[in-house]
């Protein structure tokens, strides 16, 4: 976006060595008690990475276990606890907070031109609630584990399971409030903290997607919070609101759970789409095609996302009529999602494309998200869903959307804004290698699962001795997950290395547009802007033709082609 | 950070937090934030109301019979108490806008008293339910049937020692299916209990506000904190406005 | 520094002060409605003029819920000041209540469960099989 900024820009570039938010203060307390959105984002990054690591270990255990039709080293009970741990950690502690709480927290005020979010203390509270809830869930896992699956369906979770579900649910209840605090903060900030001239249609699409996400958070999260709380009451007092013997209905739990948890899928994927809009536009050197359509499709996804929850329940005792209604509505969600995919493709059309690391991840996102989305259509249709639901087809489908979508976008965003976060540049070569490895490893892992699911392998099964011919697919999937694991360890290594001895990057290494690049220092100072920016231009004001011309010219000279507008690293004294 | 940093380029402005440009922006942000929070509260109780609506629709006859166990007079009194408190909060905001801290404190004081009154009446109601074994835990007994969440035991408990004692304590005749009774009372305790929790939080918040106003805390510069807390308290009243007819006044 | 983005609407310095008389009138109306709803639930059916209401169960339910919504509207619009607030506040207030009604789509499920378009696939009277499982004590 934009924003040729009148006053801010020179100031921001003048003193690259000035105090920034990272070195403003060095004590531990200055981090733990900070109200600076950037520091909170970094603390979230640490937390999210930690839980992602734990969730990955659980995933690896599942994959290794499934290489044998009879199981290898886990008891079936432990296996149940392992896949529950994987689901709970990844969904509630990585996918939901990853992009909004890390990158949203860091970038939202910078992008709208504010000194901080509207409620900085609430933001800090949100991080503490997140960590406390994580503590509860980890305690539940250490004290005996949870075996009900991340969906916690009643009556297994409410009456029959003897594991630490109560503790885990209390943790998830608290993590709901962490989400709500972030959502409220973002909504108030986007409404009221925009810089002068930053009208709604000059907002970066990233901010639009966060607005849509926040709406989902404040409308959906309380519903799942109360539902899980009722299960806690059920376990503690045995009140029996979901008990069929009393005239209650366990399916009602599913209704209320999915009323949040389906929109939660969009909490995970909408911010990812926001990142992709930014990255694609920057590395294609073109204005995003159909800005308004992408912006409104985010809102449309948020709205429609609330009306499709029943497609998770086609084989529950939900009525046939409602199944049909939900099936139709689920097909509708494909429209705004497709609008985005088409618009990104058209953004690249006739653009001057640079295949840098973030762009590679973003292209990977588009490919995988298309597969994930299209297989979603099979599942939205009632009749094919009856065959496919509860199988590895579902598992593959949502991993294509969640891992292929959210995780790849998260990595794209991390690689795109890493210089902005820490003022250092990572090793571009290893970045590209890891992007390719992640893409290949991911497909290797999850594509066999589509076949497995179609053949009938049920999800959450520990053993498949009844159909040993599936072993080959499971082994392929496990090998793929190993490759994927390597692809994920690589960024962890070279990004950490760049922090220790990375070369200091210039002010705007991508030549990207937007207040966060143009008006704020790299890394930003504590109060973000030394002079309040005034926005006078529309977002994504890139020039593909000039970039293309420069590219040709430098190619002829035999120099490494650069991005137009990128501040040159060599000129800097470092 | 977090403290009050006067904005240098606007000498006339009231003190605002560092992230805001001026006092208008700060107050508007508070209003948006508070309403966004209230929307989450609506959805929070909304889920419970949905649950209630489904079960009431399914078991309306039993719900009608069981609701007679609740004391509509006490419930009505509580409704009135909360209405008064809500009115007083509205008056407190009114006086805060007119910058009359004394009247404001009196109004908030009445609100606080009403909140305690509400909880007192609630305690009387709850304790009678406990006494009659109507709290849905493991000792729940309705119409001489012991009911757990696995359903009622077919055995009649009247013959047992506990049952005899129980039968003596019960004043009102217990009609309707004991299973549905447990369902109804589960919903009753879940919903009124969470509402009660909101009242307790309200008491803490209003109490803190009163202390801050009385001590002329620099954090309270205008009427906005009172208005925000008022919005919360009105919401608490609002929930009760629906809870009262839904639980205490079920028409046949 | 004037913020273009928030130049309209509710402004801290000069917020709408709701007159005392209006608050008192609202309080009176709320009390009246409360008494009305209690009366509607405890109608003296023996009284000839109300005898016909005895079997109007739907009507009585609608009256009870209608009065509750009326009271809610009074509290939201006057006490919470939504009537005098900015469009944005109104959007949030109304949006919250509208969205929560969307959850009631779930009711369609419960209303139409017995309906089965395929002949011969109809469920019996009970929707779930009796569960004869050993249960933990």
């Amino acid at each position: 976006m934009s924003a040729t900024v009148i006053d801010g820009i020179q100031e921001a570039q003048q003193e690259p060595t000035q105090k920034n938010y990272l070195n403003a203060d060095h004590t531990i307390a200055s981090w733990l008690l900070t109200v600076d959105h950037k520091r909170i984002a970094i603390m979230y990054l640490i937390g999210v990475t930690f839980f992602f690591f734990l969730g990955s270990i659980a995933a690896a255990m599942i994959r290794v276990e499934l290489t044998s039709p009879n199981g290898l080293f886990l008891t079936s009970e432990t296996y149940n606890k392992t896949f529950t741990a994987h689901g709970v950690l990844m969904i509630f502690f990585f996918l939901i907070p990853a992009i909004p709480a890390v990158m949203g927290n860091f970038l939202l005020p910078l992008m709208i031109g504010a000194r901080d979010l509207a409620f900085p203390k609430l933001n800090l509270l949100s991080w503490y609630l997140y960590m406390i809830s994580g503590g509860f869930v980890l305690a539940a896992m250490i004290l005996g584990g949870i075996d009900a699956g991340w969906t916690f369906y009643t009556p297994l979770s409410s009456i029959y399971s003897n594991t630490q579900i109560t503790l885990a649910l209390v943790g998830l209840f608290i993590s709901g409030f962490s989400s709500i605090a972030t959502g409220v903060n973002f909504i108030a900030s986007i409404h009221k903290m925009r810089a002068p001239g930053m009208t709604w249609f000059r907002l970066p699409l990233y901010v639009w997607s966060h607005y849509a996400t926040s709406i989902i958070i404040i409308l959906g999260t309380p519903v799942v919070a109360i539902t899980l709380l009722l299960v806690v009451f059920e376990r503690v007092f045995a009140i029996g609101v979901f008990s069929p013997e009393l005239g209650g209905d366990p399916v009602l739990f599913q209704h209320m759970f999915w009323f949040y948890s389906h929109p939660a899928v969009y909490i995970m994927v909408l911010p990812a789409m926001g990142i992709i809009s930014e990255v694609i536009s920057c590395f294609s050197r073109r204005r995003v095609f159909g800005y308004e359509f992408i912006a409104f499709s985010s809102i449309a996804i948020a709205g429609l996302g609330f009306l499709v929850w029943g497609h998770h329940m086609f084989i529950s005792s939900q009525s046939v009529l409602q199944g049909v209604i939900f099936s139709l509505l689920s097909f509708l969600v494909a429209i705004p999602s497709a609008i985005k995919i088409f618009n990104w493709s058209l953004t690249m059309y006739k653009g001057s494309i640079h295949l840098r690391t973030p762009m590679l991840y973003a292209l990977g996102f588009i490919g995988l998200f298309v597969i994930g989305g299209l297989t979603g259509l099979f599942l939205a249709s009632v009749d094919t869903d009856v065959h496919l639901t509860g199988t590895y087809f579902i598992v593959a489908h949502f991993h294509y959307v969640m891992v292929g979508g959210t995780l790849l976008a998260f990595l794209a965003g991390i690689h795109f804004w890493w210089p902005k976060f820490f003022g250092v540049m990572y090793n571009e070569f290893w970045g590209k290698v890891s992007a390719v490895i992640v893409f290949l490893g991911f497909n290797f892992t999850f594509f066999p699962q589509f076949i497995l699911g179609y053949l009938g392998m049920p999800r959450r099964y520990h053993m498949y001795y009844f159909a040993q011919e599936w072993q080959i697919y499971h082994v392929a999937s496990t090998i793929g997950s190993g490759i994927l694991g390597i692809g994920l360890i690589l960024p962890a290594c070279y990004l950490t290395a760049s922090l220790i001895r990375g070369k200091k990057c210039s002010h705007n290494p991508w030549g990207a547009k937007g207040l966060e690049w143009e008006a704020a220092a790299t890394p930003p100072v504590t109060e973000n802007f030394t002079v309040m920016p005034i926005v006078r231009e529309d977002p994504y004001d890139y020039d593909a033709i000039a970039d293309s011309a420069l590219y040709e010219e430098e190619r002829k000279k035999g120099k490494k082609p650069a991005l137009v507008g990128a501040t040159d690293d060599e000129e800097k004294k470092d | 950070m977090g403290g009050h940093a006067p904005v240098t380029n606007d000498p006339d402005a009231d003190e605002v937090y560092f992230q805001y440009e001026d006092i208008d922006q700060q107050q508007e942000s508070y209003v948006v934030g508070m309403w966004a929070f209230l929307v989450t509260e609506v959805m929070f109780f909304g889920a419970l109301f949905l649950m209630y609506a489904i079960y009431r629709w399914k078991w309306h006859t039993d719900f009608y019979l069981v609701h007679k166990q609740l004391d509509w007079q006490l419930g009505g009194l509580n409704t009135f108490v909360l209405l008064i408190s809500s009115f007083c909060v509205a008056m407190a905001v009114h006086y805060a806008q007119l910058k009359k801290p004394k009247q404001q404190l009196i109004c908030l004081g009445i609100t606080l008293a009403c909140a305690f009154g509400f909880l007192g009446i609630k305690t009387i109601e709850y304790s009678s339910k406990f006494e009659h074994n109507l709290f849905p835990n493991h000792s729940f007994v309705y119409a001489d049937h012991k009911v757990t969440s696995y359903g009622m035991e077919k055995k009649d408990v009247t013959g047992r020692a506990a049952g005899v004692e129980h039968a003596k304590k019960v004043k009102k005749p217990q009609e309707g299916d004991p299973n549905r009774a447990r369902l109804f009372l589960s919903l009753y305790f879940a919903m009124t209990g969470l509402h009660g929790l909101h009242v307790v939080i309200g008491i803490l918040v209003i109490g803190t506000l009163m202390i801050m106003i009385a001590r002329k805390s620099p954090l309270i510069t205008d009427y906005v904190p009172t208005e925000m807390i008022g919005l919360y308290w009105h919401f608490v009243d609002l929930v009760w406005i629906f809870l009262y007819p839904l639980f205490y006044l079920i028409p046949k | 520094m004037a913020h273009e983005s928030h130049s309209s609407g509710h402004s801290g310095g000069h917020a709408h002060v709701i007159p005392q008389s209006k608050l008192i009138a609202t309080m009176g109306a709320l009390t009246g409605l409360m008494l009305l709803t209690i009366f509607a639930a405890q109608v003296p059916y023996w009284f000839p003029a109300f005898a016909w209401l005895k079997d109007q169960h739907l009507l009585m339910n609608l009256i009870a819920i209608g009065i509750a919504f009326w009271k809610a509207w009074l509290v939201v619009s006057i006490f919470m000041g939504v009537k005098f607030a900015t469009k944005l506040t109104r959007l949030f207030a109304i949006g919250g209540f509208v969205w929560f009604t969307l959850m009631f789509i779930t009711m369609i499920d419960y209303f139409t469960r017995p309906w089965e378009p395929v002949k011969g696939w109809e469920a019996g009277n009970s929707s779930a099989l009796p569960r004869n499982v050993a249960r933990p004590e």
Side-chain angles (χ1 to χ4, degrees):
Chain A
M1 78 167 188
S2 82
T4 306
V5 178
I6 298 303
D7 316 303
I9 193 157
Q10 294 88 353
E11 300 251 348
Q13 289 172 345
Q14 259 173 12
E15 285 181 79
T17 51
Q18 71 191 359
K19 286 254 167 192
N20 58 44
Y21 80 100
L22 288 168
N23 59 21
D25 201 342
H26 287 289
T27 58
I28 298 278
S30 77
W31 279 88
L32 291 179
L33 298 177
T34 183
V35 288
D36 183 357
H37 65 102
K38 299 180 285 299
R39 287 192 163 200
I40 294 170
I42 301 301
M43 298 202 300
Y44 255 120
L45 178 62
I46 296 166
V48 158
T49 313
F50 172 67
F51 287 113
F52 179 77
F53 178 68
L54 292 183
S56 306
I57 291 176
M61 280 165 72
I62 297 168
R63 281 314 334 154
V64 173
E65 181 69 14
L66 285 173
T67 50
S68 159
N70 298 304
L72 272 183
F73 59 98
L74 298 178
T75 63
S76 293
E77 217 173 27
T78 320
Y79 180 79
N80 289 352
K81 290 174 183 172
T82 312
F83 73 67
T84 306
H86 171 66
V88 168
L89 288 174
M90 285 301 199
I91 288 185
F92 294 104
F93 295 96
F94 176 73
L95 289 170
I96 289 177
I99 299 180
V102 178
M103 272 171 272
N105 250 338
F106 196 100
L107 294 166
L108 201 87
L110 287 166
M111 282 184 165
I112 61 177
R115 289 194 201 94
D116 204 324
L117 286 170
F119 313 116
K121 285 176 193 162
L122 190 66
N123 201 9
L124 182 65
L125 177 71
S126 149
W127 183 78
Y128 275 104
L129 289 176
Y130 171 76
M131 294 313 281
I132 291 170
S133 68
F136 268 98
V137 170
L138 285 187
M141 283 166 188
I142 292 165
L143 295 176
I146 335 158
D147 65 353
W150 78 273
T151 48
F152 295 102
Y153 273 10
T154 53
L156 173 62
S157 64
S158 57
I159 296 178
Y160 294 105
S161 176
N162 285 325
T163 48
Q164 297 292 336
I165 288 176
T166 312
L167 205 54
L169 289 182
V170 170
L172 297 183
F173 183 75
I174 298 171
S175 89
F177 284 96
S178 157
S179 258
I180 290 172
T182 306
V184 166
N185 223 334
F186 282 5
I187 284 187
S189 306
I190 295 172
H191 268 292
K192 293 297 173 191
M193 306 289 284
R194 283 171 285 132
M198 182 60 91
T199 59
W200 279 91
F201 289 102
R202 282 179 181 172
L203 286 173
L205 289 166
Y206 185 74
V207 177
W208 272 98
S209 69
H210 270 76
Y211 187 71
T213 309
S214 307
I215 287 177
I216 299 176
I217 289 176
I218 67 163
L219 289 172
T221 314
V223 177
V224 82
I226 187 67
T227 311
L228 298 181
L229 193 64
L230 284 169
V231 177
V232 173
F233 287 166
E234 178 90 41
R235 290 183 70 84
V236 176
F237 305 112
I239 58 170
V241 280
F242 296 121
S243 165
E245 279 87 351
L246 301 186
D249 185 8
V251 176
L252 183 57
F253 172 86
Q254 299 182 23
H255 273 298
M256 286 164 62
F257 180 81
W258 289 113
F259 184 83
Y260 163 76
S261 293
H262 189 74
V265 172
Y266 301 111
I267 296 180
M268 304 170 202
V269 89
L270 274 174
M273 292 170 158
I275 290 179
I276 299 304
S277 301
E278 300 292 315
V279 172
I280 295 272
S281 171
C282 174
F283 293 99
S284 305
R285 304 275 108 187
R286 268 190 97 220
R287 177 177 300 230
V288 164
F289 183 86
Y291 172 95
E292 286 87 353
F293 277 89
I294 296 192
F296 283 124
S297 68
S298 293
I299 307 292
I301 289 177
L304 280 173
F306 272 104
L307 304 175
V308 302
W309 76 86
H311 67 216
H312 295 267
M313 301 164 58
F314 285 154
I315 58 160
S316 73
S317 68
Q318 178 181 241
S319 82
V320 180
L321 177 68
Q322 193 162 17
V324 174
I325 293 172
F326 275 129
S327 175
L328 289 173
L329 288 168
S330 305
F331 281 120
L332 284 184
V333 186
I335 296 170
S337 314
I339 286 176
K340 284 176 187 267
I341 299 283
F342 287 131
N343 283 6
W344 293 326
S345 312
L346 283 170
T347 305
M348 287 187 278
Y349 176 67
K350 285 195 172 174
S352 173
I353 297 174
H354 296 258
L355 292 177
R356 299 292 183 89
T357 313
M359 185 64 171
L360 286 178
Y361 276 114
L363 292 175
F365 170 96
I366 295 180
L368 299 180
F369 186 78
V370 166
I371 297 176
L374 289 178
T375 51
L377 291 179
F378 305 175
L379 299 169
S381 156
V382 184
D383 35 12
T384 42
D385 183 77
V386 170
H387 173 59
L388 296 172
T389 196
T391 68
Y392 266 72
F393 196 88
I394 291 275
V395 176
H397 157 69
F398 70 69
H399 279 87
Y400 263 85
V401 181
M402 299 287 81
V403 184
T406 311
L407 180 63
L408 257 65
F410 179 74
L411 289 169
I414 284 283
H415 285 88
F416 186 49
W417 284 294
W418 190 261
K420 179 52 67 182
F421 282 10
F422 298 108
V424 291
M425 199 50 157
Y426 49 86
N427 187 315
E428 184 84 32
F429 169 74
W430 284 110
K432 286 177 184 169
V433 168
S434 83
V436 173
I437 292 179
V438 165
F439 182 79
L440 294 178
F442 175 84
N443 279 304
F444 212 155
T445 313
F446 292 106
F447 203 83
Q449 297 190 1
F450 277 128
I451 303 165
L452 266 178
Y454 190 77
L455 294 176
M457 169 84 198
R459 70 191 281 201
R460 292 177 174 171
Y461 268 34
H462 182 202
M463 294 169 190
Y464 49 97
Y465 50 78
F466 45 84
Q468 309 226 354
E469 65 273 22
W470 291 338
Q471 190 174 13
I472 179 79
Y473 299 108
H474 275 297
V475 171
S477 181
T478 305
I479 294 171
S481 67
I483 300 174
L484 181 61
I486 294 168
L488 293 175
I489 288 169
L490 269 179
C493 295
Y494 63 77
L495 288 178
T496 317
S498 78
L499 285 183
I500 299 163
R501 44 180 195 160
K503 101 181 145 179
K504 257 199 191 129
C505 75
S506 61
H507 171 246
N508 187 353
W510 313 119
K513 301 282 178 181
L515 285 185
E516 85 271 26
W517 292 108
E518 292 182 287
T522 302
V525 292
T526 303
E527 64 275 18
N528 289 351
F529 303 102
T530 36
V531 175
M532 255 321 181
I534 299 169
V535 184
R536 300 193 189 272
E537 277 179 19
D538 284 347
Y540 308 114
D541 193 23
Y542 293 109
D543 189 348
I545 296 167
D547 191 80
S548 213
L550 179 80
Y551 183 85
E552 291 300 327
E553 194 183 306
E554 296 202 330
R555 272 278 290 270
K556 273 178 205 155
K557 285 185 201 162
K559 276 190 352 195
K560 200 180 152 204
L563 295 117
V564 162
T567 42
D568 201 344
D569 290 335
E570 268 74 66
E571 282 175 20
K572 294 282 162 198
K573 52 186 177 238
D574 298 286
Chain B
M1 288 190 297
H4 278 253
V7 175
T8 44
N9 52 16
D10 194 354
D12 307 326
D14 295 310
E15 285 193 346
V16 296
Y17 283 105
F18 76 98
Q19 70 268 30
Y20 300 110
E21 286 300 315
D22 51 34
I23 188 76
D24 279 2
Q25 191 189 20
Q26 178 174 332
Q27 292 180 346
E28 287 169 22
S29 300
Y30 284 169
V31 172
V32 172
M34 190 64 201
W35 273 103
F37 172 71
L38 288 182
V39 168
T40 70
E41 287 279 31
V42 169
M43 297 304 286
F44 190 80
F45 279 100
L48 287 165
F49 280 116
L50 167 73
M51 205 167 193
Y52 174 88
I54 286 169
Y55 290 155
R56 163 104 173 254
W57 168 78
K58 219 169 165 186
W59 310 113
H60 45 92
T61 320
D62 288 306
F63 271 31
Y64 166 71
L65 292 171
V66 180
H67 103 279
K68 290 178 184 169
Q69 297 301 316
L70 303 180
D71 193 330
W72 67 267
Q73 288 96 337
L74 282 182
L77 187 60
N78 254 348
T79 313
F80 190 61
V81 167
L82 267 193
L83 272 186
I84 294 173
S85 74
S86 202
F87 170 71
C88 286
V89 164
M91 289 303 289
V93 176
H94 176 82
Y95 285 123
Q97 285 171 331
L98 299 177
K99 295 201 190 299
K100 292 180 180 167
K102 205 171 185 183
Q103 284 94 325
Q104 189 191 351
L105 274 179
I106 293 170
C107 285
L108 286 176
I110 300 173
T111 307
L112 210 55
C114 286
F116 277 114
F118 178 89
L119 285 184
I121 295 167
K122 204 86 226 147
T123 314
I124 297 169
E125 273 188 81
Y126 274 3
S127 57
S128 83
K129 298 289 166 298
F130 274 104
E131 208 176 307
H132 299 154
N133 288 347
L134 289 180
F135 180 73
N137 60 8
H138 295 287
S139 60
F140 184 86
V141 177
Y142 189 84
D144 297 336
H145 281 82
K146 193 168 170 12
V147 189
T148 66
S149 55
Y150 302 121
M152 65 183 170
E153 282 172 16
K154 296 279 181 277
K155 273 176 273 169
D156 199 326
V157 292
T158 324
R160 297 181 191 171
V164 173
E165 200 185 313
H166 169 70
K168 273 188 235 153
K169 281 195 286 185
V170 177
K171 281 177 289 183
K172 294 176 188 168
Q174 294 180 327
E175 302 165 290
D177 185 335
N179 285 335
R180 314 293 172 261
R182 186 170 172 120
L183 189 65
F184 177 83
L185 285 157
S186 297
L187 282 171
Y188 167 77
F189 275 100
M191 292 173 81
T192 56
L194 284 170
H195 177 262
L197 184 68
H198 278 76
V199 174
V200 172
I201 295 170
I203 287 174
L204 294 175
V205 175
I206 293 173
T208 316
L209 177 73
M210 283 179 71
I211 293 169
M212 286 167 95
I213 293 173
R215 287 188 171 178
K216 296 195 171 54
S217 156
L219 291 170
I220 312 284
T221 49
D222 53 20
Y223 71 95
V224 170
T226 318
E227 196 188 353
M228 296 300 104
I229 289 166
L231 285 177
Y232 172 80
W233 192 255
H234 291 312
F235 177 79
V236 173
D237 183 31
L238 207 58
V239 172
W240 188 259
I241 283 177
F242 284 98
L243 285 181
Y244 179 57
L246 288 181
F247 278 106
Y248 294 82
L249 303 173
I250 296 181
K252 202 165 186 176
Chain C
M1 290 177 91
H3 263 238
E4 285 176 33
S5 55
H6 68 101
S7 55
S8 64
H10 175 100
S11 182
H14 34 86
H16 183 91
V17 181
I18 304 160
Q20 210 165 337
S21 57
K22 199 154 200 165
L23 293 177
I24 294 170
T26 311
M27 175 66 194
L30 284 170
T31 316
L33 285 171
M34 184 192 84
L35 294 174
L36 189 64
T37 192
I38 294 176
F39 178 77
Q42 316 283 334
V43 181
Y45 293 121
W46 47 265
F47 194 73
F50 298 123
W52 67 279
L53 285 170
K54 195 159 183 172
D55 297 319
Q56 305 292 323
H57 302 155
L58 184 67
L59 179 72
M60 300 315 281
N61 273 301
L62 286 178
I63 288 176
I65 207 70
I67 292 175
F69 271 105
W70 192 356
K71 284 164 79 181
W73 170 245
L74 284 176
V75 170
V76 171
S77 63
I78 312 284
F79 279 178
M80 294 168 100
V82 166
K83 208 172 173 182
F84 318 104
T86 56
K87 279 182 186 159
L88 181 64
T89 309
R90 271 188 245 174
L91 182 73
F92 271 97
I94 294 164
F97 285 101
V98 168
W99 210 257
F100 127 78
T101 58
L102 277 183
M103 259 194 284
F104 283 75
I105 294 174
T106 312
M107 298 292 275
I108 301 174
D109 176 17
Y110 291 85
F111 292 156
T112 60
R113 268 194 201 170
W115 179 72
E116 170 55 61
V118 183
K119 284 229 168 83
W121 286 15
E122 297 89 350
N125 284 330
S126 63
S127 57
L129 295 168
R131 291 191 289 157
N132 298 316
V133 204
R135 282 158 187 162
E137 269 308 309

